[in-house]
Amino acid sequence: MDPELDPELEPDLDPLHHARATLPHACLVAAGGILGTLARELLLRAAPSSAFEVPWMLVSLNVVGAAALGVLASRLLDTHPRAVGGRLFLATGLLGGFTTYSSLVSAAVVDGHHDHLDVAFVTLLATSFVGVIAASLAGRSRRSAMAA
């Protein structure tokens, strides 16, 4: 069986659904993650948020990252479902490092601990909700443009 086939992406190709992680795949994720994390950190430092207010830059980064993932999924994964290296570098690594659920949770926990539940809920729920919509719309618009 071709080692480039990813059973996570194409489960019907491997009935036992065994993942075959490789060192080159791990390196692709790490390289993308470094770049995505660096970009996120630089942007967050450029527009810091005050304590107990919605961290708008963090929210924006996550929504933009979700939209980028929607475009990436419709561009790369729909047209090249076996492009494992590209998916690992761009989606898992770069966009995984650029977006960050852990930072959202950390900010919400601190806000909630200090009785700013409204900010905590907006930070978590609105970001997740808007991120899903952004990914869906971006992917849908990309597929529409390809069909035209």
Side-chain angles (χ1 to χ4, degrees), residues 25-35 88-89 93:
H25 288 162
C27 290
L28 286 171
V29 172
I34 288 168
L35 294 174
L88 291 174
F89 177 77

Side-chain angles (χ1 to χ4, degrees), residues 4 13 21 25 31 43 49 58-59 65-66 70-71 74-75 79 95-96 102-103 132-134 139-140:
E4 285 298 305
L13 297 177
H25 288 162
L43 288 167
S49 60
L58 182 60
V59 169
V71 169
S74 65
R75 173 69 178 128
T79 58
L95 292 174
S102 60
S103 290
V132 168
I133 291 172
R140 195 171 293 144

Side-chain angles (χ1 to χ4, degrees), residues 17-111:
H17 199 66
H18 288 235
R20 292 175 299 277
T22 65
L23 183 58
H25 288 162
C27 290
L28 286 171
V29 172
I34 288 168
L35 294 174
T37 302
L38 179 61
R40 173 176 37 94
E41 185 62 21
L42 291 173
L43 288 167
L44 288 174
R45 288 182 182 271
S49 60
S50 299
F52 313 124
E53 69 179 31
V54 175
W56 290 111
M57 178 57 86
L58 182 60
V59 169
S60 299
L61 293 176
N62 282 292
V63 171
V64 166
L69 190 55
V71 169
L72 176 67
S74 65
R75 173 69 178 128
L76 180 66
L77 301 182
D78 285 356
T79 58
H80 305 289
R82 295 182 178 167
V84 176
R87 178 179 60 84
L88 291 174
F89 177 77
L90 295 170
T92 305
L94 185 76
L95 292 174
F98 185 74
T99 61
T100 174
Y101 188 71
S102 60
S103 290
L104 286 172
V105 171
S106 295
V109 166
V110 169
D111 290 336

Side-chain angles (χ1 to χ4, degrees), residues 50 112-113 115-116 118 122 126:
S50 299
H113 183 70
D115 295 325
H116 294 277
D118 54 341
V122 167

